[in-house]
Amino acid sequence: MASYDDVFEKVQTVLEDALGVDKEEVTAEATLVGDLGAESIDFLDIVFRLEKAFNIKIQQSELFPDNVLTDPQYVQEGKVTDAGMAELRQRLPHTNLDAFDADRTVDSFPNVFTVDAIVKFVQSKL
Amino acid sequence: MRWIWIDRILELKRGAKLVALKNISAAEDVLHDHFAPAPGSAESAPQPPRPLMPHSLIIEGMAQTAGILVGHAGDFKEKVILAKIGKAVFDVAVQPRPGFTIRHSAEMVRYDASGASTSGVTELIDPATGEARKLADIELMFSHIDSNRSGLKFPKENFVFTEQFMHLIRNVEKLED
């Protein structure tokens, strides 16, 4: 498996190019949406660029699950249910969901997508 | 005014490449609201500014070129929307003025159910000499909006590929399907 630092460096470049941010801003803890200003269309761009940079194939839903938070089985009154949390944990094994689990509001979900989560996801694909 | 910024499709290779031309004409109103900096130095007499095709509309021309390439790859069943301009770097020394021809060459970088990304080169051709100079590198990203992640619904009919684009497609000069 490629080392964390090697993958991190390439992910940094991908995010610099996709989001127009400076290298220094792309820290492991930085969130894509909150800290780096990613919008929904940027996620597609990031997937495309990761595939190219690492020569891997990614289904967009693997990295950013698209239908969990719109499913009434998984979300009630703006909060993710136990079943929803279980589904997210299964779909996003590379992502640390502990902080989100304490909050569970749908609006704060984008904050789970950190640079660290992307690096771990890519490592799992290599 | 019609919102079409390419005039001819020279070459179309399915899912791979599309080359289109756009002739810049002084009859286009938009040129007369957009000028190149007056040439000459501080010592020379002031020169009248020269009308120039705006770079934003040249990007739109590339978006139409690449957008047709993407649409054709999916047999025009998808609604292909320009989602992001990844890169647009122009050489400001190459001035797109009336009487010159723009050539957009777009290549597919990636295509899937959710969208596509393209890279392209735009050149400025002088029809008097045939000389072509590179004007811009333009990278774009397109979304197939019916499979977007936001869950929004759009009209059923394909409002992107209207008759004016389909007319261009029917008259492609070199088609590799």
Side-chain angles (χ1 to χ4, degrees), chain B residues 121-158:
Chain B
V121 172
T122 298
E123 297 158 294
L124 190 69
I125 300 169
D126 182 348
T129 63
E131 184 200 8
R133 295 173 70 192
K134 184 156 136 182
L135 174 61
D137 286 304
I138 303 174
E139 293 176 4
L140 304 173
M141 216 184 75
F142 295 88
S143 174
H144 290 149
I145 54 168
D146 287 331
S147 58
N148 68 85
R149 301 168 62 249
S150 64
L152 295 174
K153 297 280 180 229
F154 294 92
K156 204 172 174 191
E157 75 275 11
N158 199 327

mmCIF file of all heavy atoms in Angstrom, chain B residues 121-158:
data_model
loop_
_atom_site.group_PDB
_atom_site.id
_atom_site.type_symbol
_atom_site.label_atom_id
_atom_site.label_comp_id
_atom_site.label_asym_id
_atom_site.label_seq_id
_atom_site.Cartn_x
_atom_site.Cartn_y
_atom_site.Cartn_z
ATOM 1 N N VAL B 121 -7.970 23.035 -26.876
ATOM 2 C CA VAL B 121 -7.091 24.109 -27.327
ATOM 3 C C VAL B 121 -7.886 24.986 -28.293
ATOM 4 O O VAL B 121 -8.582 24.477 -29.172
ATOM 5 C CB VAL B 121 -5.847 23.537 -28.037
ATOM 6 C CG1 VAL B 121 -5.031 24.645 -28.675
ATOM 7 C CG2 VAL B 121 -4.998 22.747 -27.057
ATOM 8 N N THR B 122 -7.776 26.279 -28.088
ATOM 9 C CA THR B 122 -8.421 27.225 -29.003
ATOM 10 C C THR B 122 -7.327 27.988 -29.741
ATOM 11 O O THR B 122 -6.398 28.503 -29.125
ATOM 12 C CB THR B 122 -9.324 28.198 -28.211
ATOM 13 O OG1 THR B 122 -10.344 27.441 -27.574
ATOM 14 C CG2 THR B 122 -9.949 29.229 -29.120
ATOM 15 N N GLU B 123 -7.485 28.004 -31.073
ATOM 16 C CA GLU B 123 -6.487 28.710 -31.893
ATOM 17 C C GLU B 123 -7.158 29.841 -32.656
ATOM 18 O O GLU B 123 -8.364 29.793 -32.923
ATOM 19 C CB GLU B 123 -5.862 27.744 -32.902
ATOM 20 C CG GLU B 123 -5.086 26.609 -32.260
ATOM 21 C CD GLU B 123 -4.966 25.447 -33.216
ATOM 22 O OE1 GLU B 123 -5.996 24.839 -33.550
ATOM 23 O OE2 GLU B 123 -3.833 25.165 -33.644
ATOM 24 N N LEU B 124 -6.339 30.806 -33.034
ATOM 25 C CA LEU B 124 -6.821 31.897 -33.876
ATOM 26 C C LEU B 124 -6.144 31.756 -35.233
ATOM 27 O O LEU B 124 -4.912 31.732 -35.330
ATOM 28 C CB LEU B 124 -6.476 33.253 -33.252
ATOM 29 C CG LEU B 124 -7.146 34.448 -33.931
ATOM 30 C CD1 LEU B 124 -8.655 34.438 -33.666
ATOM 31 C CD2 LEU B 124 -6.542 35.760 -33.457
ATOM 32 N N ILE B 125 -6.994 31.636 -36.261
ATOM 33 C CA ILE B 125 -6.465 31.436 -37.613
ATOM 34 C C ILE B 125 -6.627 32.734 -38.399
ATOM 35 O O ILE B 125 -7.691 33.370 -38.366
ATOM 36 C CB ILE B 125 -7.235 30.306 -38.335
ATOM 37 C CG1 ILE B 125 -7.078 28.999 -37.546
ATOM 38 C CG2 ILE B 125 -6.758 30.132 -39.771
ATOM 39 C CD1 ILE B 125 -8.002 27.893 -38.016
ATOM 40 N N ASP B 126 -5.576 33.099 -39.112
ATOM 41 C CA ASP B 126 -5.662 34.245 -40.018
ATOM 42 C C ASP B 126 -6.004 33.697 -41.408
ATOM 43 O O ASP B 126 -5.162 33.068 -42.051
ATOM 44 C CB ASP B 126 -4.310 34.973 -40.054
ATOM 45 C CG ASP B 126 -4.374 36.213 -40.947
ATOM 46 O OD1 ASP B 126 -5.384 36.360 -41.691
ATOM 47 O OD2 ASP B 126 -3.424 37.013 -40.909
ATOM 48 N N PRO B 127 -7.235 33.906 -41.876
ATOM 49 C CA PRO B 127 -7.619 33.318 -43.162
ATOM 50 C C PRO B 127 -6.771 33.851 -44.330
ATOM 51 O O PRO B 127 -6.683 33.202 -45.380
ATOM 52 C CB PRO B 127 -9.087 33.725 -43.339
ATOM 53 C CG PRO B 127 -9.534 34.132 -41.991
ATOM 54 C CD PRO B 127 -8.328 34.663 -41.274
ATOM 55 N N ALA B 128 -6.158 35.012 -44.141
ATOM 56 C CA ALA B 128 -5.348 35.581 -45.226
ATOM 57 C C ALA B 128 -4.089 34.759 -45.463
ATOM 58 O O ALA B 128 -3.619 34.643 -46.596
ATOM 59 C CB ALA B 128 -4.979 37.029 -44.890
ATOM 60 N N THR B 129 -3.552 34.195 -44.403
ATOM 61 C CA THR B 129 -2.291 33.451 -44.526
ATOM 62 C C THR B 129 -2.426 31.975 -44.165
ATOM 63 O O THR B 129 -1.559 31.168 -44.472
ATOM 64 C CB THR B 129 -1.230 34.054 -43.570
ATOM 65 O OG1 THR B 129 -1.715 33.895 -42.223
ATOM 66 C CG2 THR B 129 -0.989 35.529 -43.848
ATOM 67 N N GLY B 130 -3.502 31.635 -43.492
ATOM 68 C CA GLY B 130 -3.678 30.258 -43.001
ATOM 69 C C GLY B 130 -2.928 30.003 -41.706
ATOM 70 O O GLY B 130 -3.023 28.921 -41.130
ATOM 71 N N GLU B 131 -2.210 31.003 -41.217
ATOM 72 C CA GLU B 131 -1.428 30.812 -39.989
ATOM 73 C C GLU B 131 -2.354 30.648 -38.776
ATOM 74 O O GLU B 131 -3.331 31.392 -38.625
ATOM 75 C CB GLU B 131 -0.521 32.036 -39.762
ATOM 76 C CG GLU B 131 0.392 31.886 -38.564
ATOM 77 C CD GLU B 131 0.922 33.236 -38.050
ATOM 78 O OE1 GLU B 131 0.466 34.304 -38.512
ATOM 79 O OE2 GLU B 131 1.794 33.206 -37.166
ATOM 80 N N ALA B 132 -2.024 29.656 -37.941
ATOM 81 C CA ALA B 132 -2.818 29.432 -36.720
ATOM 82 C C ALA B 132 -1.936 29.690 -35.507
ATOM 83 O O ALA B 132 -0.818 29.189 -35.428
ATOM 84 C CB ALA B 132 -3.347 28.012 -36.690
ATOM 85 N N ARG B 133 -2.446 30.483 -34.571
ATOM 86 C CA ARG B 133 -1.701 30.734 -33.328
ATOM 87 C C ARG B 133 -2.563 30.293 -32.153
ATOM 88 O O ARG B 133 -3.784 30.502 -32.145
ATOM 89 C CB ARG B 133 -1.381 32.222 -33.180
ATOM 90 C CG ARG B 133 -0.450 32.734 -34.258
ATOM 91 C CD ARG B 133 -0.301 34.236 -34.175
ATOM 92 N NE ARG B 133 0.459 34.657 -32.999
ATOM 93 C CZ ARG B 133 0.539 35.917 -32.579
ATOM 94 N NH1 ARG B 133 -0.109 36.875 -33.225
ATOM 95 N NH2 ARG B 133 1.259 36.237 -31.517
ATOM 96 N N LYS B 134 -1.913 29.709 -31.167
ATOM 97 C CA LYS B 134 -2.676 29.257 -30.002
ATOM 98 C C LYS B 134 -3.189 30.453 -29.212
ATOM 99 O O LYS B 134 -2.430 31.362 -28.875
ATOM 100 C CB LYS B 134 -1.795 28.382 -29.119
ATOM 101 C CG LYS B 134 -2.543 27.804 -27.934
ATOM 102 C CD LYS B 134 -1.862 26.547 -27.448
ATOM 103 C CE LYS B 134 -1.771 26.548 -25.956
ATOM 104 N NZ LYS B 134 -1.069 25.374 -25.460
ATOM 105 N N LEU B 135 -4.482 30.419 -28.936
ATOM 106 C CA LEU B 135 -5.107 31.513 -28.200
ATOM 107 C C LEU B 135 -5.366 31.121 -26.740
ATOM 108 O O LEU B 135 -5.201 31.939 -25.835
ATOM 109 C CB LEU B 135 -6.437 31.876 -28.885
ATOM 110 C CG LEU B 135 -7.358 32.891 -28.228
ATOM 111 C CD1 LEU B 135 -6.675 34.244 -28.093
ATOM 112 C CD2 LEU B 135 -8.640 33.061 -29.052
ATOM 113 N N ALA B 136 -5.759 29.859 -26.519
ATOM 114 C CA ALA B 136 -6.112 29.487 -25.137
ATOM 115 C C ALA B 136 -6.074 27.979 -24.912
ATOM 116 O O ALA B 136 -6.242 27.197 -25.847
ATOM 117 C CB ALA B 136 -7.507 29.995 -24.805
ATOM 118 N N ASP B 137 -5.841 27.617 -23.649
ATOM 119 C CA ASP B 137 -6.057 26.247 -23.165
ATOM 120 C C ASP B 137 -7.288 26.308 -22.274
ATOM 121 O O ASP B 137 -7.340 27.129 -21.344
ATOM 122 C CB ASP B 137 -4.872 25.774 -22.305
ATOM 123 C CG ASP B 137 -3.654 25.465 -23.151
ATOM 124 O OD1 ASP B 137 -3.783 24.647 -24.071
ATOM 125 O OD2 ASP B 137 -2.579 26.042 -22.880
ATOM 126 N N ILE B 138 -8.254 25.445 -22.553
ATOM 127 C CA ILE B 138 -9.507 25.504 -21.792
ATOM 128 C C ILE B 138 -9.915 24.097 -21.347
ATOM 129 O O ILE B 138 -10.098 23.213 -22.181
ATOM 130 C CB ILE B 138 -10.643 26.150 -22.633
ATOM 131 C CG1 ILE B 138 -10.228 27.556 -23.101
ATOM 132 C CG2 ILE B 138 -11.938 26.213 -21.825
ATOM 133 C CD1 ILE B 138 -11.199 28.224 -24.054
ATOM 134 N N GLU B 139 -10.031 23.912 -20.034
ATOM 135 C CA GLU B 139 -10.490 22.630 -19.479
ATOM 136 C C GLU B 139 -11.858 22.839 -18.848
ATOM 137 O O GLU B 139 -12.041 23.788 -18.077
ATOM 138 C CB GLU B 139 -9.504 22.126 -18.412
ATOM 139 C CG GLU B 139 -8.161 21.754 -18.991
ATOM 140 C CD GLU B 139 -7.150 21.345 -17.922
ATOM 141 O OE1 GLU B 139 -7.511 21.269 -16.727
ATOM 142 O OE2 GLU B 139 -5.991 21.115 -18.304
ATOM 143 N N LEU B 140 -12.777 21.954 -19.180
ATOM 144 C CA LEU B 140 -14.151 22.119 -18.709
ATOM 145 C C LEU B 140 -14.691 20.846 -18.072
ATOM 146 O O LEU B 140 -14.183 19.753 -18.336
ATOM 147 C CB LEU B 140 -15.065 22.496 -19.895
ATOM 148 C CG LEU B 140 -14.673 23.740 -20.685
ATOM 149 C CD1 LEU B 140 -15.558 23.880 -21.917
ATOM 150 C CD2 LEU B 140 -14.785 24.993 -19.826
ATOM 151 N N MET B 141 -15.711 21.037 -17.273
ATOM 152 C CA MET B 141 -16.398 19.893 -16.700
ATOM 153 C C MET B 141 -17.895 20.042 -16.929
ATOM 154 O O MET B 141 -18.441 21.143 -16.791
ATOM 155 C CB MET B 141 -16.124 19.820 -15.203
ATOM 156 C CG MET B 141 -15.997 18.422 -14.714
ATOM 157 S SD MET B 141 -15.806 18.438 -12.958
ATOM 158 C CE MET B 141 -17.456 18.813 -12.505
ATOM 159 N N PHE B 142 -18.522 18.947 -17.299
ATOM 160 C CA PHE B 142 -19.959 18.965 -17.598
ATOM 161 C C PHE B 142 -20.692 18.012 -16.665
ATOM 162 O O PHE B 142 -20.155 16.970 -16.279
ATOM 163 C CB PHE B 142 -20.198 18.523 -19.051
ATOM 164 C CG PHE B 142 -19.618 19.468 -20.058
ATOM 165 C CD1 PHE B 142 -18.305 19.330 -20.477
ATOM 166 C CD2 PHE B 142 -20.375 20.511 -20.567
ATOM 167 C CE1 PHE B 142 -17.742 20.214 -21.395
ATOM 168 C CE2 PHE B 142 -19.824 21.398 -21.489
ATOM 169 C CZ PHE B 142 -18.515 21.255 -21.900
ATOM 170 N N SER B 143 -21.912 18.384 -16.359
ATOM 171 C CA SER B 143 -22.743 17.515 -15.525
ATOM 172 C C SER B 143 -23.917 17.011 -16.357
ATOM 173 O O SER B 143 -24.498 17.757 -17.149
ATOM 174 C CB SER B 143 -23.254 18.319 -14.328
ATOM 175 O OG SER B 143 -24.170 17.565 -13.576
ATOM 176 N N HIS B 144 -24.230 15.740 -16.188
ATOM 177 C CA HIS B 144 -25.493 15.214 -16.725
ATOM 178 C C HIS B 144 -26.535 15.525 -15.656
ATOM 179 O O HIS B 144 -26.599 14.834 -14.641
ATOM 180 C CB HIS B 144 -25.391 13.702 -16.950
ATOM 181 C CG HIS B 144 -24.488 13.326 -18.075
ATOM 182 N ND1 HIS B 144 -23.764 12.158 -18.089
ATOM 183 C CD2 HIS B 144 -24.202 13.954 -19.246
ATOM 184 C CE1 HIS B 144 -23.069 12.086 -19.217
ATOM 185 N NE2 HIS B 144 -23.310 13.165 -19.925
ATOM 186 N N ILE B 145 -27.309 16.559 -15.874
ATOM 187 C CA ILE B 145 -28.067 17.091 -14.724
ATOM 188 C C ILE B 145 -29.176 16.178 -14.222
ATOM 189 O O ILE B 145 -29.583 16.301 -13.081
ATOM 190 C CB ILE B 145 -28.643 18.507 -14.983
ATOM 191 C CG1 ILE B 145 -29.470 18.540 -16.250
ATOM 192 C CG2 ILE B 145 -27.537 19.531 -14.980
ATOM 193 C CD1 ILE B 145 -30.271 19.821 -16.351
ATOM 194 N N ASP B 146 -29.637 15.251 -15.053
ATOM 195 C CA ASP B 146 -30.675 14.348 -14.535
ATOM 196 C C ASP B 146 -30.104 13.354 -13.533
ATOM 197 O O ASP B 146 -30.848 12.747 -12.767
ATOM 198 C CB ASP B 146 -31.357 13.598 -15.684
ATOM 199 C CG ASP B 146 -32.268 14.535 -16.478
ATOM 200 O OD1 ASP B 146 -32.788 15.490 -15.881
ATOM 201 O OD2 ASP B 146 -32.440 14.309 -17.685
ATOM 202 N N SER B 147 -28.791 13.183 -13.538
ATOM 203 C CA SER B 147 -28.204 12.267 -12.551
ATOM 204 C C SER B 147 -27.390 13.039 -11.511
ATOM 205 O O SER B 147 -26.458 12.517 -10.926
ATOM 206 C CB SER B 147 -27.329 11.225 -13.252
ATOM 207 O OG SER B 147 -26.315 11.863 -13.988
ATOM 208 N N ASN B 148 -27.759 14.306 -11.330
ATOM 209 C CA ASN B 148 -27.041 15.106 -10.338
ATOM 210 C C ASN B 148 -27.396 14.632 -8.939
ATOM 211 O O ASN B 148 -28.386 13.938 -8.717
ATOM 212 C CB ASN B 148 -27.370 16.594 -10.494
ATOM 213 C CG ASN B 148 -28.798 16.861 -10.120
ATOM 214 O OD1 ASN B 148 -29.125 17.051 -8.970
ATOM 215 N ND2 ASN B 148 -29.678 16.848 -11.114
ATOM 216 N N ARG B 149 -26.601 15.063 -7.985
ATOM 217 C CA ARG B 149 -26.739 14.554 -6.623
ATOM 218 C C ARG B 149 -27.703 15.364 -5.751
ATOM 219 O O ARG B 149 -28.020 14.972 -4.648
ATOM 220 C CB ARG B 149 -25.364 14.521 -5.944
ATOM 221 C CG ARG B 149 -24.379 13.653 -6.670
ATOM 222 C CD ARG B 149 -22.972 13.845 -6.188
ATOM 223 N NE ARG B 149 -22.832 13.483 -4.784
ATOM 224 C CZ ARG B 149 -22.595 14.344 -3.808
ATOM 225 N NH1 ARG B 149 -22.479 15.606 -4.076
ATOM 226 N NH2 ARG B 149 -22.471 13.953 -2.573
ATOM 227 N N SER B 150 -28.136 16.496 -6.279
ATOM 228 C CA SER B 150 -28.953 17.356 -5.424
ATOM 229 C C SER B 150 -30.422 16.932 -5.385
ATOM 230 O O SER B 150 -31.190 17.438 -4.583
ATOM 231 C CB SER B 150 -28.858 18.803 -5.916
ATOM 232 O OG SER B 150 -29.406 18.892 -7.209
ATOM 233 N N GLY B 151 -30.810 16.020 -6.268
ATOM 234 C CA GLY B 151 -32.185 15.547 -6.271
ATOM 235 C C GLY B 151 -33.158 16.491 -6.967
ATOM 236 O O GLY B 151 -34.357 16.274 -6.960
ATOM 237 N N LEU B 152 -32.644 17.561 -7.606
ATOM 238 C CA LEU B 152 -33.528 18.487 -8.317
ATOM 239 C C LEU B 152 -34.089 17.820 -9.564
ATOM 240 O O LEU B 152 -33.439 16.973 -10.169
ATOM 241 C CB LEU B 152 -32.763 19.747 -8.730
ATOM 242 C CG LEU B 152 -32.251 20.646 -7.620
ATOM 243 C CD1 LEU B 152 -31.392 21.761 -8.195
ATOM 244 C CD2 LEU B 152 -33.417 21.233 -6.846
ATOM 245 N N LYS B 153 -35.289 18.242 -9.931
ATOM 246 C CA LYS B 153 -35.916 17.681 -11.136
ATOM 247 C C LYS B 153 -35.884 18.729 -12.248
ATOM 248 O O LYS B 153 -36.048 19.916 -11.995
ATOM 249 C CB LYS B 153 -37.370 17.298 -10.851
ATOM 250 C CG LYS B 153 -37.485 16.207 -9.787
ATOM 251 C CD LYS B 153 -37.209 14.831 -10.374
ATOM 252 C CE LYS B 153 -37.313 13.744 -9.317
ATOM 253 N NZ LYS B 153 -36.191 12.841 -9.314
ATOM 254 N N PHE B 154 -35.678 18.276 -13.459
ATOM 255 C CA PHE B 154 -35.623 19.180 -14.601
ATOM 256 C C PHE B 154 -36.664 18.761 -15.631
ATOM 257 O O PHE B 154 -37.134 17.625 -15.617
ATOM 258 C CB PHE B 154 -34.216 19.153 -15.210
ATOM 259 C CG PHE B 154 -33.188 19.725 -14.282
ATOM 260 C CD1 PHE B 154 -32.498 18.893 -13.406
ATOM 261 C CD2 PHE B 154 -32.951 21.079 -14.228
ATOM 262 C CE1 PHE B 154 -31.567 19.409 -12.518
ATOM 263 C CE2 PHE B 154 -32.025 21.606 -13.345
ATOM 264 C CZ PHE B 154 -31.338 20.779 -12.489
ATOM 265 N N PRO B 155 -37.000 19.686 -16.566
ATOM 266 C CA PRO B 155 -37.993 19.323 -17.582
ATOM 267 C C PRO B 155 -37.561 18.080 -18.363
ATOM 268 O O PRO B 155 -36.371 17.824 -18.525
ATOM 269 C CB PRO B 155 -38.010 20.554 -18.505
ATOM 270 C CG PRO B 155 -37.456 21.663 -17.695
ATOM 271 C CD PRO B 155 -36.514 21.051 -16.719
ATOM 272 N N LYS B 156 -38.581 17.345 -18.844
ATOM 273 C CA LYS B 156 -38.287 16.083 -19.523
ATOM 274 C C LYS B 156 -37.577 16.308 -20.863
ATOM 275 O O LYS B 156 -36.673 15.574 -21.232
ATOM 276 C CB LYS B 156 -39.606 15.320 -19.747
ATOM 277 C CG LYS B 156 -39.406 13.840 -19.900
ATOM 278 C CD LYS B 156 -40.726 13.101 -19.913
ATOM 279 C CE LYS B 156 -40.472 11.628 -20.218
ATOM 280 N NZ LYS B 156 -41.694 10.906 -20.498
ATOM 281 N N GLU B 157 -38.031 17.335 -21.586
ATOM 282 C CA GLU B 157 -37.444 17.528 -22.918
ATOM 283 C C GLU B 157 -35.991 17.996 -22.791
ATOM 284 O O GLU B 157 -35.622 18.629 -21.807
ATOM 285 C CB GLU B 157 -38.254 18.533 -23.760
ATOM 286 C CG GLU B 157 -38.096 19.983 -23.375
ATOM 287 C CD GLU B 157 -39.028 20.410 -22.251
ATOM 288 O OE1 GLU B 157 -39.653 19.554 -21.611
ATOM 289 O OE2 GLU B 157 -39.094 21.632 -22.012
ATOM 290 N N ASN B 158 -35.213 17.688 -23.804
ATOM 291 C CA ASN B 158 -33.806 18.078 -23.760
ATOM 292 C C ASN B 158 -33.674 19.521 -24.245
ATOM 293 O O ASN B 158 -33.600 19.800 -25.444
ATOM 294 C CB ASN B 158 -32.949 17.129 -24.598
ATOM 295 C CG ASN B 158 -31.486 17.243 -24.199
ATOM 296 O OD1 ASN B 158 -31.031 18.321 -23.819
ATOM 297 N ND2 ASN B 158 -30.760 16.158 -24.272
#
